[in-house]
Amino acid sequence: MLSSPPLPPNAIRWLAALNIHNRAELQAVGAVRAYLLLKAAGHSATERLLFALEAAVRGEHWSALDDADRTALRLAAANHAPVRPLPPQAEQQAFMAEALALAAEAASHGEVPVGAVVVHHNKIIGRGYNRPVSSHDPSAHAEMVALREAATALGNYRLHGCQLYVTLEPCVMCAGAILHSRLDHVLYGAAEPRTGAAGSVLNLFAERRLNHHTAVDGNIESAAATALLTSFFAQRR
């Protein structure tokens, strides 16, 4: 379990709310990401806490960090991709289940099984599944269809306050549209090692020269998303 020292008691409680209860879980998240998640959650996370988190990862007191360690941590925090706290697990599962059902619908039409939903204030306002073949439209990826429907529902292409659940890591085209929409958070299922633009091939969401930064998290119900894709391509072979 995490202890004080090196962490202050409040930080231990804040981390527990993020399902980080011990050193192994903190190591898996990383000191910098944990620090940024605490800041995103509205906690008064100072640089000293960043150093304490790194000390907890290493299993030592924060005073053991030297100037080079502190400089490296400051730089890593400044250059880190945007983060947002994950929604409750039940919420993640419910919305990804809707996206998975849409992916299955795509497969039934002979399309690569990818589905997506846009959520605003805990309500789905946009749905989409892959349909470039049937619609003769190279832009008709699941994310694009869902974004269009959500923008129509809100009467605004800017989707502030929205989350996108998609069963497969977005490609460059979809990542660009997501960033342009100012969407808050992308939660995807399976990684896409060939075309993924959320970290697998490149990470557009971490590119600070772009005009907006959307947080992204993967591996949400990834086994189910992968199973749909594997089954689809096995049938095609």
Side-chain angles (χ1 to χ4, degrees):
M1 302 295 291
L2 297 173
S3 63
S4 178
L7 294 171
N10 280 345
I12 293 173
R13 289 193 293 272
W14 298 341
L15 290 168
L18 298 176
N19 290 317
I20 302 172
H21 304 94
N22 54 51
R23 183 182 173 195
E25 290 171 348
L26 181 57
Q27 287 173 326
V29 174
V32 172
R33 180 173 173 81
Y35 165 72
L36 293 174
L37 282 169
L38 292 176
K39 290 189 71 172
H43 299 300
S44 55
T46 64
E47 272 193 353
R48 180 171 289 186
L49 179 56
L50 172 60
F51 303 151
L53 288 164
E54 178 63 18
V57 165
R58 299 183 186 187
E60 57 191 22
H61 193 271
W62 66 267
S63 61
L65 275 62
D66 59 24
D67 288 343
D69 291 325
R70 294 186 179 92
T71 298
L73 286 165
R74 291 187 188 101
L75 186 62
N79 292 328
H80 198 282
V83 300
R84 289 183 183 271
L86 284 168
Q89 188 170 12
E91 190 175 308
Q92 295 176 46
Q93 291 172 335
F95 289 126
M96 190 58 82
E98 295 286 340
L100 287 164
L102 288 162
E105 180 72 10
S108 74
H109 295 289
E111 304 273 7
V112 175
V114 182
V117 296
V118 175
V119 177
H120 183 247
H121 293 165
N122 216 35
K123 177 183 177 182
I124 294 175
I125 60 169
R127 291 176 169 83
Y129 60 80
N130 262 10
R131 56 181 73 177
V133 176
S134 59
S135 64
H136 314 296
D137 179 0
S139 73
H141 286 193
E143 301 96 309
M144 302 292 283
V145 176
L147 289 172
R148 289 170 184 146
E149 187 173 295
T152 298
L154 293 182
N156 193 338
Y157 81 88
R158 293 183 173 90
L159 301 179
H160 291 297
C162 293
Q163 302 82 41
L164 172 73
Y165 288 81
V166 59
T167 58
L168 185 66
E169 180 182 358
C171 67
V172 170
M173 175 184 69
C174 294
I178 289 164
L179 289 169
H180 189 55
S181 75
R182 276 69 167 171
L183 192 142
D184 284 3
H185 201 171
V186 173
L187 301 103
Y188 70 84
E192 173 46 277
R194 296 174 301 170
T195 62
S200 289
V201 176
L202 53 84
N203 192 348
L204 280 186
F205 299 98
E207 178 50 74
R208 291 188 172 272
R209 290 171 294 182
L210 299 179
N211 65 352
H212 180 76
H213 302 293
T214 298
V216 59
D217 284 284
N219 201 35
I220 311 297
E221 301 297 306
S222 60
T226 300
L228 273 174
L229 291 160
T230 301
S231 175
F232 176 82
F233 288 113
Q235 292 175 19
R236 290 298 178 275
R237 287 194 292 269

